[in-house]
Amino acid sequence: MKKILFILGLSFLFFCPHIVDAASISIAGTTSTGTVGGNITVRVNITESSGLGSWEYSLNYDSSKLQLLSGNTHVVGYVDGAGQTSQSYTYTFRVKGTGSTTISVVNTSIASWDEVVTSPTDSTTINLVAREEVESNYSGDNNLASLEVAGLTLSPEFNKNTTSYTVEAESDVTSVTVNAKANDSKAKVSGTGEIEVHEGANTINVTVTAESGATKTYTIVVNVKEKDPINVKVNKEELSIVRKPDELKDLVKDYYVETTIKINEEEVPAYKIEALDLTLVALKDEKGNIKFYIYDDGKYTLYQELGSDLLTIHLLENGKYPSNYKKYTVKIDGARYTVYKLNKKSKYYLVYGENVETGKKGLYLYDSVDKTIQRYYNEEVDSLKDELKINSYIIVGLTCLIVLLLIIFLLALHTKNSDKRRKRKEIKKRLKQEKNDFLKD
């Protein structure tokens, strides 16, 4: 009985058909949507679990909507040895038009290693849209949901609509960690993490970029306290002397000559303006704002200058201004200046100062729109005024003369007409008398 079952089993194995996995080909895009002007990527995958031998296929696409940038539309390939079960190809297209488009693999012929040939096909559909349509759906939220400097206190307290903050750090702090989270998960945040800081004011910018590309920058000024600061009082305000040149590298002008002076028996950085014989030191307020002051035997006077690419002047007080100019306080690049203007709306400011290169003092005219400055030539202006005044007198005189001549002409014309009327009356009277005399006779 056992022998019979064994023979039947062998017969079943011999006559049972073998099940062979057929070769397949597939095509798929890395995205289901493409944007006009952008690129899309499509991959063609060929598989044969029993082992590939050779393959051939063609790629079809709508050239009115897509432009092929890489890849061949007709592919023929083969393997060098047994064991390879898959092969893939990548295509890159530039999107030219909108609408639905289909990319297909056709005319396929795939042979397995044991020469079984199949002809599978496949296609993928991608929706193509205009960039404006895509961007209209982008989020414009570029706010932060949270912002902190680890271990330190923000001032003021965080608010997504407030973009400027300060924190105070002890003198031994050399780095801070900034943490921030975007309000929108699709937005990107940069400028966070561990950041090195030094003594004085350190500006850290945290930028949020919305999905739409709109950006918003939150600024944190980390004020690292100074060790044993040199404090001075200027106009009742407590200030400290800046002792590290690194804090001044963006404030020092080309014509400042580096030097040092002794304050409280300590060498501190200072700068000379040789043409003006001035010595400047930098002072910092409680918020970390730095300004230059003129140093003169322990006294400090705020140094202010205005200039352009061609001319810079140091502003002075007690200038003599034309009587038609009035005194105003204006803001220029965030700093307050005392200037003189013809009226409140004027964009031209008259100031008194000295040229930082030549030391020449005088009045200067500053154009607040173009941010340029030039000498104010008062003598020429006064001369022009006198010339205009003389010309006005001449014009008035000529006008009076013309009016007088016109009056004389009209009087003469009136007199002449009167004489003519009188003569006509006399002639009429004489003719009437002669007529009466004739009738009497």
Side-chain angles (χ1 to χ4, degrees):
M1 183 67 180
K2 290 182 179 179
K3 289 183 179 180
I4 295 172
L5 292 175
F6 178 72
I7 293 170
L8 289 174
L10 288 176
S11 301
F12 176 80
L13 290 174
F14 181 80
F15 291 105
C16 180
H18 293 280
I19 300 173
V20 179
D21 292 334
S24 67
I25 189 167
S26 65
I27 181 170
T30 57
T31 178
S32 61
T33 303
T35 305
V36 174
N39 295 346
I40 60 171
T41 301
V42 172
R43 288 190 178 91
V44 173
N45 293 308
I46 304 169
T47 59
E48 170 57 81
S49 60
S50 65
L52 279 171
S54 63
W55 56 89
E56 180 179 8
Y57 71 85
S58 296
L59 190 78
N60 281 351
Y61 66 93
D62 186 348
S63 60
S64 67
K65 294 180 179 179
L66 298 174
Q67 177 189 355
L68 182 63
L69 299 180
S70 65
N72 296 317
T73 56
H74 183 232
V75 174
V76 177
Y78 59 89
V79 298
D80 294 325
Q84 182 177 337
T85 59
S86 66
Q87 178 69 34
S88 64
Y89 296 89
T90 300
Y91 295 85
T92 302
F93 294 90
R94 176 65 59 93
V95 180
K96 296 164 57 178
T98 60
S100 179
T101 190
T102 299
I103 306 172
S104 307
V105 281
V106 297
N107 301 326
T108 61
S109 177
I110 303 173
S112 64
W113 183 254
D114 53 8
E115 298 183 354
V116 175
V117 178
T118 56
S119 300
T121 59
D122 195 22
S123 64
T124 185
T125 300
I126 298 175
N127 187 35
L128 309 178
V129 296
R131 182 170 298 277
E132 295 78 10
E133 182 180 346
V134 175
E135 292 179 350
S136 65
N137 296 319
Y138 283 170
S139 170
D141 188 349
N142 55 8
N143 292 308
L144 282 179
S146 63
L147 176 66
E148 68 168 7
V149 180
L152 301 176
T153 302
L154 281 182
S155 178
E157 186 178 344
F158 173 73
N159 183 297
K160 68 178 182 180
N161 298 317
T162 302
T163 57
S164 296
Y165 300 89
T166 60
V167 297
E168 301 296 324
E170 295 302 321
S171 58
D172 58 351
V173 173
T174 58
S175 66
V176 296
T177 301
V178 178
N179 299 316
K181 182 180 180 182
N183 196 52
D184 185 347
S185 60
K186 295 179 181 178
K188 296 180 180 179
V189 179
S190 62
T192 58
E194 186 175 352
I195 300 169
E196 291 186 2
V197 293
H198 53 73
E199 186 180 280
N202 301 263
T203 301
I204 300 172
N205 293 318
V206 177
T207 301
V208 188
T209 304
E211 185 186 20
S212 65
T215 61
K216 188 174 186 178
T217 300
Y218 293 79
T219 300
I220 305 172
V221 177
V222 181
N223 291 315
V224 180
K225 293 180 181 179
E226 186 178 1
K227 292 181 180 179
D228 303 321
I230 301 175
N231 295 322
V232 298
K233 186 173 284 188
V234 181
N235 297 328
K236 299 181 179 180
E237 184 180 10
E238 288 287 345
L239 304 172
S240 62
I241 294 174
V242 178
R243 294 181 291 183
K244 292 191 174 182
D246 288 347
E247 292 189 65
L248 305 174
K249 59 184 179 181
D250 295 329
L251 301 175
V252 174
K253 305 295 178 63
D254 293 339
Y255 47 88
Y256 291 7
V257 180
E258 293 185 19
T259 185
T260 59
I261 59 174
K262 268 195 174 183
I263 298 178
N264 290 3
E265 301 303 318
E266 183 179 342
E267 294 281 345
V268 299
Y271 300 88
K272 282 188 172 292
I273 301 180
E274 295 179 335
L276 308 182
D277 193 25
L278 295 178
T279 300
L280 307 180
V281 294
L283 303 182
K284 177 169 52 179
D285 64 17
E286 294 180 349
K287 295 182 179 179
N289 299 313
I290 297 174
K291 293 180 181 178
F292 283 107
Y293 285 76
I294 301 169
Y295 179 79
D296 184 14
D297 194 23
K299 295 181 179 179
Y300 302 87
T301 306
L302 180 63
Y303 175 78
Q304 284 191 307
E305 65 180 26
L306 276 179
S308 60
D309 294 338
L310 301 177
L311 175 64
T312 301
I313 61 165
H314 165 224
L315 299 185
L316 299 171
E317 297 180 353
N318 305 322
K320 186 178 180 181
Y321 296 88
S323 59
N324 56 334
Y325 277 77
K326 303 300 179 185
K327 188 176 180 180
Y328 294 91
T329 299
V330 299
K331 266 191 175 183
I332 302 175
D333 295 332
R336 291 186 176 275
Y337 293 85
T338 298
V339 301
Y340 285 75
K341 301 194 292 182
L342 285 172
N343 55 65
K344 187 175 182 179
K345 294 183 178 181
S346 176
K347 300 299 182 183
Y348 296 92
Y349 308 157
L350 200 59
V351 293
Y352 179 68
E354 53 188 350
N355 190 316
V356 298
E357 294 182 354
T358 64
K360 187 175 180 62
K361 297 180 181 179
L363 289 175
Y364 292 84
L365 193 64
Y366 180 78
D367 184 339
S368 64
V369 177
D370 293 337
K371 294 188 176 182
T372 57
I373 194 166
Q374 61 181 2
R375 283 286 305 276
Y376 176 78
Y377 298 99
N378 198 35
E379 299 82 0
E380 284 78 355
V381 172
D382 291 341
S383 174
L384 180 60
K385 287 181 179 177
D386 293 339
E387 185 178 339
L388 290 173
K389 189 180 292 184
I390 292 171
N391 289 339
S392 65
Y393 289 154
I394 293 173
I395 292 171
V396 171
L398 288 173
T399 302
C400 292
L401 179 60
I402 292 171
V403 172
L404 179 61
L405 292 173
L406 183 60
I407 292 172
I408 293 172
F409 173 75
L410 292 174
L411 287 174
L413 184 62
H414 178 71
T415 302
K416 183 176 180 181
N417 290 336
S418 297
D419 290 341
K420 287 182 177 180
R421 286 195 296 272
R422 182 174 53 78
K423 287 181 180 180
R424 282 198 295 270
K425 286 182 179 180
E426 290 178 355
I427 292 172
K428 286 182 178 180
K429 186 177 180 181
R430 188 172 63 252
L431 290 174
K432 185 176 181 180
Q433 184 62 41
E434 289 178 356
K435 182 179 179 182
N436 291 336
D437 295 340
F438 177 75
L439 293 174
K440 287 179 181 180
D441 294 339

